[in-house]
Amino acid sequence: MFFSTKSAVIVGITPLLVDVEVDINQRSVKRDINIVGLPDTAVKESKQRILSAFKNSNILVPDGLITVNLAPSDVKKEGTFLDFAIALAILGAAKYIPPFNSVVIGELGLDGTVKKVKGVLPILLEFQNSSTSFIIPADNIPEATATKANFLAFKSLYEAVQSIKTNQFPRILYEIPILQDDAYEVDFSEIRGHLVPKRALEVAASGGHNVLMVGPPGTGKTMFARRFPTILPPMSEHEIIETSKIYSAIGLLDSKLVTKRPFRSPHHTSSAVAVIGGGTNVKPGEVTLAHNGVLFLDELPEFRRDVLEALREPLEDGVVTVSRSKATHVFPASFQLIAAMNPCPCGYYGDKEIACKCSPYEIKRYWKNISGPILDRIDIQIQVPRISYDEMRGKVQQTNGESSAQIRERVVRARERQLRRYKEENIKLNAKLTHRMVEKYIKLDDKAEDILKIYATKYRLSGRALDKILKVSRTIADLNGDEIVDAKDVSEALQYRLNNIESDFIL
């Protein structure tokens, strides 16, 4: 007796449709389940879960040798996605239930309950159409209702079997709205002083620029980074779904969709696989989890050199490509990089209150941990100096105590200007401008041109460095509501460079 149904698994973060084929040889004296088609250990162990689920659901195991094939047979199947489908296919082959045509996803408990699995959202989005229906665990209803897929949800194997036998299915009344959640636990209004870093981060948020903050320990670099997502524009519905698909695929999605921009902060001891992605069973890394959000790298020079060099591709292209002998995986990785570091090994180079104990050689070696190509991909590089006791204690009149919501309003307006300007291009933000686009879209007045020329000559700037200054200048002009970049815009952009630290240390 033969029966076939469909299921799905996640390979990397990509859904793969699987044909679950079952044949029962009742002439065999052996009563067992044999699973073929490159199953991993978790899939092989489904045999024991299915047998126990049958017993505890008062379902008799069919007599004979049960052979289960998972096609395509040349792709390794991982996880517990297939338990539910295999169980129903066995019952279909034994004529215990009538034929049905659905993609079945779910893990079985020993007591016959259908347990929540990861990856339901990307699977439904990938394969949904008017002719395809799905059978999923009841605990996966919240993410499934964010799609347009036709699906049925069950809490147990017994419930599913009875529904299929009687053709009476439970109604699904649960609905989850895709709403913005603006409630952050932190806010920019909590930061005292630091007017220049605040403004620099506003510019970075407006134009999509990457940021490097340099300063002594305890000056607020991490505090700034953690508040940076609060001034970014709210996520669009497309970004919510796109980000939620990633988190669902790797099992990090709870009962709600991802409506806040991700903030990922890997430790500096993290490996390249953990940050970039890969491994024996290829999985996405921190850069993919930061997609549509922020990747914060604290103590930047302490990260391994291979980790930092691997950031080149996602910073440039917004994707990560992981190649293996049997397949190539492409993971989305469009994020804003916020990096922080001390100016030297002891942390006090340039500090006005504590003397630096490092030699010039030690400082130079410290900076050399960060390659030129990585620094070239960071448009805004600022110092975060120590503030006075009176400023920390709020005893100095604050001239800029704006909330994140107030700053975000200006950021949104600046991004809208860029969206209109680049409607004919394949970009949305100033940070993504190519050299050709810089020449086309960024126009300086005469005074601004003179200031930039003097600066470029003094510091012997490369063409790439000039483009970075021009892109930041363009963003500042957008914040000011100007179409022409003037001297004030260029002068401010020039502040966001680290030339006041000796160039030998950073070039």
Side-chain angles (χ1 to χ4, degrees):
M1 295 180 288
F2 175 82
F3 190 88
S4 175
T5 188
K6 292 187 181 296
S7 186
V9 295
I10 298 291
V11 181
I13 59 173
T14 304
L16 173 69
L17 207 60
V18 176
D19 289 318
V20 180
E21 302 172 334
V22 173
D23 180 72
I24 302 178
N25 183 4
Q26 292 185 319
R27 296 181 180 179
S28 174
V29 295
K30 188 177 182 181
R31 192 179 186 185
D32 197 8
I33 300 176
N34 184 29
I35 302 175
V36 298
L38 279 185
D40 74 344
T41 302
V43 178
K44 290 178 181 177
E45 290 174 348
S46 66
K47 177 178 82 170
Q48 305 301 329
R49 293 192 292 272
I50 290 168
L51 292 175
S52 293
F54 280 170
K55 182 188 72 172
N56 292 307
S57 301
N58 294 320
I59 299 172
L60 293 176
V61 180
D63 292 328
L65 178 62
I66 301 171
T67 301
V68 180
N69 179 47
L70 308 174
S73 299
D74 60 342
V75 178
K76 192 170 184 178
K77 320 302 183 305
E78 301 174 1
T80 56
F81 300 84
L82 304 171
D83 290 6
F84 200 11
I86 294 173
L88 292 179
I90 290 173
L91 297 178
K95 309 297 183 184
Y96 193 84
I97 57 175
F100 63 92
N101 183 26
S102 295
V103 178
V104 185
I105 313 159
E107 175 186 341
L108 288 180
L110 297 183
D111 60 351
T113 56
V114 181
K115 297 187 174 183
K116 181 180 180 180
V117 293
K118 62 184 181 181
V120 166
L121 180 62
I123 289 171
L124 267 60
L125 288 171
E126 181 73 17
F127 302 119
Q128 67 183 9
N129 57 58
S130 58
S131 61
T132 302
S133 63
F134 299 84
I135 294 177
I136 65 171
D139 288 341
N140 285 112
I141 289 177
E143 58 186 289
T145 51
T147 72
K148 297 179 180 179
N150 301 314
F151 66 90
L152 299 168
F154 299 101
K155 295 180 179 179
S156 68
L157 176 62
Y158 178 81
E159 182 186 16
V161 169
Q162 292 303 116
S163 294
I164 294 173
K165 287 175 70 173
T166 61
N167 200 32
Q168 295 180 355
F169 301 100
R171 292 184 62 192
I172 297 173
L173 302 176
Y174 192 97
E175 184 176 354
I176 181 169
I178 301 178
L179 299 175
Q180 298 298 335
D181 183 0
D182 292 329
Y184 286 94
E185 296 180 358
V186 294
D187 194 271
F188 255 71
S189 61
E190 300 163 350
I191 301 176
R192 301 184 187 279
H194 286 307
L195 299 186
V196 173
K198 281 182 182 178
R199 172 65 175 179
L201 290 180
E202 180 181 339
V203 172
S206 300
H209 305 285
N210 300 316
V211 180
L212 172 62
M213 296 182 288
V214 181
T219 54
K221 301 184 292 295
T222 301
M223 181 173 63
F224 274 116
R226 293 197 178 279
R227 284 157 180 75
F228 185 72
T230 69
I231 64 172
L232 291 174
M235 295 179 74
S236 65
E237 183 172 325
H238 172 74
E239 289 176 324
I240 290 173
I241 294 297
E242 189 178 40
T243 308
S244 297
K245 281 170 58 178
I246 296 170
Y247 277 68
S248 175
I250 61 177
L252 294 180
L253 189 67
D254 55 18
S255 59
K256 296 181 180 179
L257 300 183
V258 179
T259 57
K260 292 181 182 178
R261 294 194 179 274
F263 178 86
R264 305 297 298 183
S265 179
H267 193 262
H268 62 259
T269 58
S270 300
S271 67
V273 170
V275 175
I276 305 300
T280 304
N281 301 323
V282 178
K283 302 293 182 185
E286 291 289 338
V287 294
T288 298
L289 294 177
H291 183 63
N292 290 324
V294 177
L295 179 69
F296 176 48
L297 300 183
D298 199 6
E299 305 295 343
L300 187 66
E302 303 298 334
F303 280 83
R304 285 169 33 180
R305 183 69 178 250
D306 62 324
V307 174
L308 296 181
E309 293 305 308
L311 288 173
R312 292 192 196 186
E313 181 190 10
L315 287 175
E316 193 73 28
D317 303 325
V319 297
V320 168
T321 304
V322 180
S323 297
R324 294 294 182 265
S325 57
K326 290 187 177 180
T328 297
H329 302 267
V330 179
F331 299 137
S334 180
F335 57 87
Q336 274 191 261
L337 174 66
I338 305 295
M341 61 179 288
N342 297 328
C344 65
C346 79
Y348 297 104
Y349 178 83
D351 191 89
K352 296 179 179 179
E353 298 181 13
I354 302 177
C356 174
K357 301 177 182 178
C358 305
S359 68
Y361 172 75
E362 288 174 325
I363 300 175
K364 187 172 184 178
R365 186 177 61 179
Y366 182 73
W367 277 90
K368 275 196 170 182
N369 290 341
I370 310 169
S371 69
I374 293 298
L375 281 175
D376 272 346
R377 287 163 173 79
I378 301 177
D379 294 345
I380 295 178
Q381 303 165 2
I382 57 171
Q383 284 190 299
V384 182
R386 186 191 309 278
I387 61 174
S388 69
Y389 174 84
D390 288 340
E391 286 178 303
M392 284 189 285
R393 297 293 295 161
K395 298 181 183 300
V396 175
Q397 182 68 32
Q398 296 293 310
T399 58
N400 186 3
E402 290 181 303
S403 68
S404 294
Q406 291 173 302
I407 300 172
R408 186 166 60 242
E409 287 180 9
R410 294 196 295 270
V411 170
V412 170
R413 286 197 298 270
R415 289 202 175 198
E416 288 172 349
R417 294 177 66 89
Q418 295 166 65
L419 197 60
R420 291 192 296 268
R421 183 186 304 122
Y422 306 130
K423 60 184 179 182
E424 304 297 330
E425 305 286 354
N426 193 30
I427 63 167
K428 297 179 180 179
L429 296 170
N430 291 328
K432 303 299 181 182
L433 288 169
T434 64
H435 179 70
R436 175 189 65 81
M437 295 176 187
V438 168
E439 295 290 327
K440 179 179 179 181
Y441 291 106
I442 301 181
K443 305 299 181 185
L444 276 63
D445 63 20
D446 293 340
K447 190 173 181 181
E449 195 75 57
D450 291 340
I451 291 174
L452 185 59
K453 181 179 179 180
I454 294 170
Y455 187 92
T457 303
K458 178 179 179 180
Y459 290 104
R460 305 183 300 278
L461 297 185
S462 65
R464 180 177 289 180
L466 277 174
D467 279 354
K468 287 198 297 183
I469 294 171
L470 288 169
K471 287 188 282 188
V472 175
S473 301
R474 176 67 270 171
T475 300
I476 295 169
D478 287 332
L479 276 169
N480 297 334
D482 301 327
E483 277 305 315
I484 301 296
V485 178
D486 61 22
K488 183 175 63 176
D489 302 326
V490 171
S491 298
E492 182 178 347
L494 294 177
Q495 293 182 56
Y496 305 141
R497 292 185 57 80
L498 290 175
N499 288 313
N500 50 341
I501 293 179
E502 294 183 31
S503 60
D504 286 345
F505 298 154
I506 64 175
L507 298 179

